Amino acid sequence: MQFVPPLALQSGAQIRGYTLAYETYGTLNVSRSNAVLVCHALNASHHVAGVYADAQGGVQAKSEGWWHTLIGPGKPVDTNHFFVIGVNNLGSCFGSTGPMHVNPDNGEIYGADFPVVTVQDWVNAQARLLDALGIQTLAAVMGGSLGGMQALSWTLQYPQRVRHAVVVASAPSLNAENIAFNEVARRAITTDPDFHGGHFYRHGVIPRRGLRIARMLGHITYLSDDLMNAKFGRELKRNTGAAEGMVRDAYRYSTQDVEFEIESYLRHQADKFAEYFDANTYLLITRALDYFDPASAHGGSLSRALAAASARFLLVSFSTDWRFAPSRSREIVKALLENRADVSYAEIDAPHGHDAFLLDDARYVAIVRSYFESKVALELGP
Amino acid sequence: MQFVPPLALQSGAQIRGYTLAYETYGTLNVSRSNAVLVCHALNASHHVAGVYADAQGGVQAKSEGWWHTLIGPGKPVDTNHFFVIGVNNLGSCFGSTGPMHVNPDNGEIYGADFPVVTVQDWVNAQARLLDALGIQTLAAVMGGSLGGMQALSWTLQYPQRVRHAVVVASAPSLNAENIAFNEVARRAITTDPDFHGGHFYRHGVIPRRGLRIARMLGHITYLSDDLMNAKFGRELKRNTGAAEGMVRDAYRYSTQDVEFEIESYLRHQADKFAEYFDANTYLLITRALDYFDPASAHGGSLSRALAAASARFLLVSFSTDWRFAPSRSREIVKALLENRADVSYAEIDAPHGHDAFLLDDARYVAIVRSYFESKVALELGP
């Protein structure tokens, strides 16, 4: 959907003539009360549910929506009852206006000139989309990781427009280690000679080396130590052409060739990612993560910051998530309880680390189902 | 010290005409029974104790020995009683023969042709140094992190030559996550266009971009999450020229400039490191870490692997070390106990993460002192 009026950004800049890509699933009811907005994390898009007939737009290797475990007909967020909206954020590379598009101010590709966008900016843009769709109030806003930050921010920026917020595997802000990992990834990209200060499009190149490093590093932080040991351990990469089960047991003694399966896996993930993800988008999205900190405007008090919220909350965290550990979700729960908010919290004992929020864990899925059936669905009008 | 006879390496290659840089502290006693060998980790050298009059050889920013908290006159490893030997490993860039030296086979700088060296190779080279110094048996061998792996390997390769082994903040092998972090660092270096397949010396360049990324990443894994939060948190970098205590409280809204103190700190560490550390050495040392796995030759049984050891052991780990977590030290302790070995183990509750092994923690220092006074020193002859 195209938006003509400029959007004022938190930085003081503005963006005009922008497009938001979105998808919807299910039907908006007569009272317009059954809308659920789904916010995405770093490497995802508006394609949250369903399956594309063909792999469109390079959004995902698979054409399944990224939250298809939770959203669809008969699923925990049942699109037979709810009208689900997936929206791609500004600055992304999956359809909405981003750094690879033309800056209407000068007719050139934005590149590094794309304005810095924040979680608050994204929420404002999403609110405009809802206005255009004729939806005043959301039955729920939901998201995982960075998407959870957007859901939380919705309850503070538009408290009257959100009945429920589902915040999964998220945090009230990044800590120093989170920022540090983001910074390493950004430096890998910006110091790649093919980055050209962010204007690589003009040079017909892509800073693939930097994107690969960023992705490898990101991947490590999405997985748990235990899962990596279970899945890869110290297993050596099989020789090319070796039969399944033919494990190599001797080192090659090379510093540059692949020795271990985990190396091979990371290189493969990195190569795929560098082919479809935009380098400037990576910088923008990691910065949006860095900047999110609702407590900062309240003297560092998350409790005071969350006083603005009137939604009811479901928070979910995963035991082995060391990127956004359960303790970070508990900070949010504690601050909400200090405001006597209605909050449900589940800490799922799952082996998958941060990635668990995207996976089909029975207890996790059951909790989301139960919350939507027993709390969100009951309030829907005709 | 120069060594003429070739050293056969685990890879099948050999190295000839090599030099080992070493330092000694204290005096070898008449019965030659008071020698303590100290093995170093990734970014360290033979300069383990004392203070250089001037910063020599670019070994460290400070001219203090890297284990000066533990080693010196009156210190836990008291050089009034012990003859301490610090040795720089083959492949390093701090004095011993390494990739930046001339390959005697063809008269060219080794670069990427420097043979892959392992913990076992280093121990073999160290044993030759002891032979040359006329030392048959060590009162103790000690090291932290990768140095601890060497100490452990000494007890397996030369069980009759080691009375005590002190293994600090170490592990019996890297796990998948450890290897993964090493691989990201290596890929950052080897995909830097200035790496030239490891022969960058010929081109008069240094793959500084890759070295910087490697160092930033390494640094994150050396520190604990808690320490980073305490030291940096989400504090913004002060404006240049701002007075101490003048904290900036507004974002710059930039994806490429420094916003947070933690970013500034990491960039500074990275810049320093890239000026003195050799890129090929980084690859070699991380690979030596990857390869170390004494259990692998015993069907994966660490217990069977450690059956060869006859030394007595002190193991120390640190509660917030997530690189080589206490559980990894406990694996070694368990395997030693299964062999009815004499083993002392201390798990120190310290906030500093992996770096704690280099720092002046009172309980840690006291435990090493007590071990050397009550166990190691008592057995010394005249």
Side-chain angles (χ1 to χ4, degrees), chain A residues 183 254 259 263 287 291, chain B residues 254 259 263 267 287 291:
Chain A
E183 173 68 358
S254 165
E259 281 278 18
E263 296 175 322
R287 256 316 184 216
Y291 285 143
Chain B
S254 165
E259 281 278 18
E263 296 175 323
R267 288 192 191 188
R287 252 323 182 212
Y291 285 144

Side-chain angles (χ1 to χ4, degrees), chain B residues 41-109:
Chain B
L42 198 151
N43 181 29
S45 73
H46 48 293
H47 181 42
V48 302
V51 182
Y52 288 149
D54 52 0
Q56 280 180 42
V59 172
Q60 303 280 351
K62 289 185 206 172
S63 56
E64 281 174 337
W66 58 267
W67 231 351
H68 70 98
T69 51
L70 293 186
I71 300 168
K75 294 194 175 176
V77 183
D78 188 344
T79 50
N80 293 323
H81 302 296
F82 291 103
F83 177 65
V84 173
I85 306 155
V87 56
N88 188 220
N89 286 324
L90 283 170
S92 175
C93 51
F94 294 139
S96 294
T97 300
M100 71 299 302
H101 293 125
V102 171
N103 180 351
D105 289 343
N106 59 16
E108 304 209 13
I109 304 275

